[in-house]
Amino acid sequence: MGRPARSRSPATVPPPAATELRSTRIPFRSRKIVKTPPAKPLATAAVAPPAPAPLPPVLPALSSPGEIASALRHLQAADPLLSAVIASTEAPTFAASPSLPAFHSLARSILYQQLATSAADAIYARFLALLRSASAAASAAASDAVTPAAVLALAAADLRTIGVSGRKASYLHDLATRFAAGELYDCAVAAMDESALLAELTKVKGVGEWTVHMFMIFSLHRPDVLPCGDLGVRKGVQELYKLKALPKPEELAALCERWRPYRSVGAWYMWRLMESKSAAAKKKKGNASS
């Protein structure tokens, strides 16, 4: 018989668990964690801010030498219908001498509101006389006497004695208070553009858009003001262009756009157009009755 195979000692055979452990063990090496700095933002080219819109040229006042002639040349070339009115009407004149101070002019505008010219002239003359008599300087000119302090010194009862209503007295006192407090002053008012004047002056009681427009045309002599709310100007444009209906303010502005930059002068001719029409109607009526 052959010799039986010699069996391996159990001690030399590794246990199954140990073999499995050695075969699945994963080597591990410690690694240093490196922090990545945040990415720098990409450099962008500096963007220049948009250039401001160019300001419209500042035109000389209508009282400046030669300015009325320039206005008439422009209007005659721009509007043939208006050109005919210009040809038949005496040219406007604006005082070349310094106009009244802003406070005086605005106070005068308040006094003239909603009154016939003759009645307003009489009240204004009494207003000047009252201030002059109350002035400490007896020799002061009437225009010099119209100051915020002098008006504030007058009671509403004093103003009523010369024909100024209680409401207008309150308007005058509010205007004087704002000038006395420095909210408004002559130099600043004269330097404001139309939008600034409308914003600031309409804060005064009794001063509306129409009053500001009249102040700009007849006191500051601004050349390009269109009083869209003025009834006389609206009627004049209706007559000039033979419109069936009275133009609304926005329609008036569109029709008169061709008059820029001398809409103040165009508006002046609309008042003269309606005056001549009224005078012609009166004359015709008088001839018919005779």
Side-chain angles (χ1 to χ4, degrees), residues 89-151:
T89 309
E90 187 175 353
T93 56
F94 289 83
S97 59
S99 58
L100 296 173
F103 174 76
H104 185 159
S105 181
L106 288 167
R108 184 179 183 275
S109 296
I110 289 173
L111 290 172
Y112 273 72
Q113 287 174 357
Q114 299 178 336
L115 290 176
T117 303
S118 57
D121 286 342
I123 291 175
Y124 178 60
R126 292 196 292 268
F127 176 71
L128 295 179
L130 179 63
L131 287 173
R132 186 167 49 188
S133 65
S135 175
S139 60
S143 60
D144 294 335
V146 184
T147 64
V151 172

Side-chain angles (χ1 to χ4, degrees), residues 147-187:
T147 64
V151 172
L152 288 173
L154 296 175
D158 298 326
L159 291 167
R160 281 197 295 270
T161 62
I162 61 170
V164 178
S165 68
R167 177 175 295 179
K168 283 190 178 180
S170 70
Y171 296 166
L172 290 170
H173 284 152
D174 186 59
L175 176 69
T177 298
R178 292 178 186 274
F179 269 85
E183 294 179 29
L184 297 169
Y185 51 97
D186 290 346
C187 294

Side-chain angles (χ1 to χ4, degrees), residues 35-243:
K35 295 183 177 180
T36 304
K40 294 182 179 180
L42 295 176
T44 56
V47 179
L55 295 174
V58 178
L59 295 172
L62 290 172
S63 52
S64 300
E67 195 60 17
I68 290 296
S70 297
L72 297 186
R73 284 194 299 269
H74 170 79
L75 293 172
Q76 286 174 315
D79 193 336
L81 294 176
L82 180 58
S83 179
V85 178
I86 292 172
S88 62
T89 309
E90 187 175 353
T93 56
F94 289 83
S97 59
S99 58
L100 296 173
F103 174 76
H104 185 159
S105 181
L106 288 167
R108 184 179 183 275
S109 296
I110 289 173
L111 290 172
Y112 273 72
Q113 287 174 357
Q114 299 178 336
L115 290 176
T117 303
S118 57
D121 286 342
I123 291 175
Y124 178 60
R126 292 196 292 268
F127 176 71
L128 295 179
L130 179 63
L131 287 173
R132 186 167 49 188
S133 65
S135 175
S139 60
S143 60
D144 294 335
V146 184
T147 64
V151 172
L152 288 173
L154 296 175
D158 298 326
L159 291 167
R160 281 197 295 270
T161 62
I162 61 170
V164 178
S165 68
R167 177 175 295 179
K168 283 190 178 180
S170 70
Y171 296 166
L172 290 170
H173 284 152
D174 186 59
L175 176 69
T177 298
R178 292 178 186 274
F179 269 85
E183 294 179 29
L184 297 169
Y185 51 97
D186 290 346
C187 294
V189 168
M192 291 178 188
D193 61 18
E194 182 174 354
S195 60
L197 280 169
L198 284 169
E200 292 302 318
L201 295 184
T202 52
K203 294 177 183 177
V204 179
K205 292 179 181 178
V207 175
E209 182 179 275
W210 182 86
T211 300
V212 177
H213 282 157
M214 296 304 104
F215 171 71
M216 292 177 69
I217 294 173
F218 295 107
S219 295
L220 300 181
H221 303 159
R222 298 283 176 88
D224 196 32
V225 178
L226 182 65
C228 291
D230 184 87
L231 185 59
V233 173
R234 294 171 65 195
K235 285 184 175 181
V237 169
Q238 181 185 15
E239 176 68 18
L240 181 67
Y241 297 120
K242 305 303 179 186
L243 304 177

